[in-house]
Amino acid sequence: MAQDPYTVLGVSRKASDDDIRKAFRKLAKELHPDVNKDSPQSAERFKKVSQAYDILGDAEKRRMFDRGEIGADGEPRPTYQRAGAGAAGGRAGGPFGGANGGGRPRSPVDDMGFGDIFSDLFAGGGPGAGAAGYPGAGARGRPSGRAAGAGFAAKGRDVTYTLEITLLEALHGARKRVTLPNGGKLDLTVPAGVDDGKTLRLRGKGHPGLGGAEAGDALVEITVQPHPTFSRDGSTIRSTVPISIDEAVLGGKVPVETAQGTVQLTVPKGTSSGTTLRLRGKGAPTGKNDQFGDHLVTVQIELPKKIDESLSYFMTEWRGSHGYDPRKN
């Protein structure tokens, strides 16, 4: 029997959608099979965490679970008619045909309008009895299908997955192979310019459907790792580059790493520390006609680790004749 999804994710029933998402991402990173290749226990927990998030990460499925309409495995809960209900509705009294004597209490699902569907499937006198399969959850978690002589059909459930990629892979796009919660392998294309937190939907790559219905989808949430030298703000890339005191005073060209390779940045003569310079078209994709944003470079003057006598003498002489107070400018 599947565990309570709130317990699996370690959140309360009053947890916000953001709290649930954070809890899932944290556990998915810790338990993912690619990280714990020799730990069957981690792989099993990863499957349970993914199944729990498949319910709680979908607002509609969460409401259905909280109301008791679906179980912790995401499957609809069967409903039963009370003893004697057949007298009013023309069906046998027991859930599997015939009177059961004491009867069963009415399920909360009956009050949601699904009672007739399930009693048709389980009651002995209903149409298609004994031929229809147990109903599965649709892509949004709804019980769906038809109780006909040919059987019951329901779209398969979605599966969820968190994929970590580098910032450069997010900017340029990449081909990645991921391991799904059920152990299967899936190749996908990460589009260029994808944002952190973006969810990619791969149609038909989820759980198989019932009764010949289409499969569910695979939902892949993208997590972009921080880059060691620059950061992204939409289509703009930002970085900080150290320059020497002579480059600041005399100007020059310094190499700068960008998303599109290393380029030479022109530092104007007399550049102060903290000045931001622009490299046009060297940022992230804008999503419009193959255009790119800009790369903003903030320069930081870095002094030599050791101040020798010649530099000290020069600065002493220079201060005597050209000294100034930048705090008064």
Side-chain angles (χ1 to χ4, degrees):
M1 179 179 293
Q3 291 180 275
D4 183 284
Y6 289 100
T7 302
V8 174
L9 294 182
V11 297
S12 72
R13 290 184 175 269
K14 296 182 179 180
S16 67
D17 293 342
D18 190 51
D19 290 337
I20 289 173
R21 180 172 174 270
K22 289 179 180 178
F24 168 70
R25 292 179 67 175
K26 179 176 182 295
L27 290 171
K29 289 181 181 180
E30 294 176 358
L31 302 172
H32 192 271
D34 289 346
V35 180
N36 305 277
K37 297 183 183 296
D38 300 321
S39 176
Q41 296 85 357
S42 295
E44 183 62 28
R45 281 196 63 199
F46 179 73
K47 290 181 181 180
K48 292 179 179 179
V49 165
S50 298
Q51 186 179 46
Y53 186 68
D54 184 47
I55 295 175
L56 301 186
D58 184 304
E60 185 173 356
K61 287 184 182 180
R62 182 182 180 183
R63 287 192 295 269
M64 295 180 73
F65 175 79
D66 291 342
R67 292 194 298 256
E69 297 171 26
I70 60 175
D73 57 358
E75 300 292 343
R77 288 176 172 168
T79 62
Y80 303 96
Q81 298 289 341
R82 299 179 190 175
R91 294 191 180 92
F96 300 101
N100 62 5
R104 296 178 182 266
R106 187 174 179 83
S107 166
V109 181
D110 291 333
D111 298 329
M112 299 305 297
F114 298 126
D116 288 342
I117 296 175
F118 290 115
S119 55
D120 280 347
L121 292 174
F122 287 94
Y134 188 84
R140 301 290 298 173
R142 286 195 182 97
S144 59
R146 60 185 183 278
F152 176 83
K155 183 177 179 179
R157 290 189 296 116
D158 297 340
V159 295
T160 56
Y161 179 83
T162 299
L163 174 66
E164 283 195 352
I165 60 175
T166 67
L167 179 56
L168 290 179
E169 287 175 329
L171 296 178
H172 298 295
R175 289 279 297 173
K176 305 291 287 187
R177 170 166 289 186
V178 299
T179 303
L180 296 174
N182 61 8
K185 302 291 184 180
L186 184 64
D187 292 323
L188 75 152
T189 299
V190 178
V194 67
D195 293 320
D196 181 56
K198 175 73 173 180
T199 297
L200 305 179
R201 179 181 293 271
L202 304 176
R203 299 195 179 278
K205 300 299 183 180
H207 292 289
L210 299 178
E214 62 181 318
D217 301 333
L219 306 178
V220 183
E221 183 179 6
I222 300 296
T223 299
V224 180
Q225 300 170 341
H227 190 274
T229 61
F230 53 79
S231 61
R232 178 185 180 187
D233 180 11
S235 62
T236 300
I237 300 294
R238 300 177 185 273
S239 65
T240 299
V241 174
I243 61 174
S244 65
I245 188 172
D246 56 291
E247 288 170 332
V249 172
L250 303 176
K253 291 185 178 293
V254 298
V256 174
E257 181 183 1
T258 74
Q260 301 175 40
T262 301
V263 300
Q264 295 295 316
L265 172 69
T266 299
V267 178
K269 183 177 180 180
T271 297
S272 298
S273 189
T275 299
T276 297
L277 305 174
R278 185 184 301 270
L279 292 170
R280 296 191 181 279
K282 298 299 182 182
T286 63
K288 299 179 181 179
N289 301 324
D290 297 326
Q291 295 180 354
F292 291 81
D294 300 333
H295 187 136
L296 303 182
V297 182
T298 301
V299 297
Q300 190 74 37
I301 299 174
E302 189 170 307
L303 294 176
K305 294 181 179 179
K306 182 179 180 181
I307 305 298
D308 58 24
E309 291 184 4
S310 61
L311 180 58
S312 297
Y313 177 79
F314 170 79
M315 294 307 301
T316 300
E317 293 292 316
W318 187 89
R319 178 190 290 176
S321 59
H322 299 84
Y324 71 105
D325 187 349
R327 292 165 295 279
K328 293 182 179 181
N329 290 345

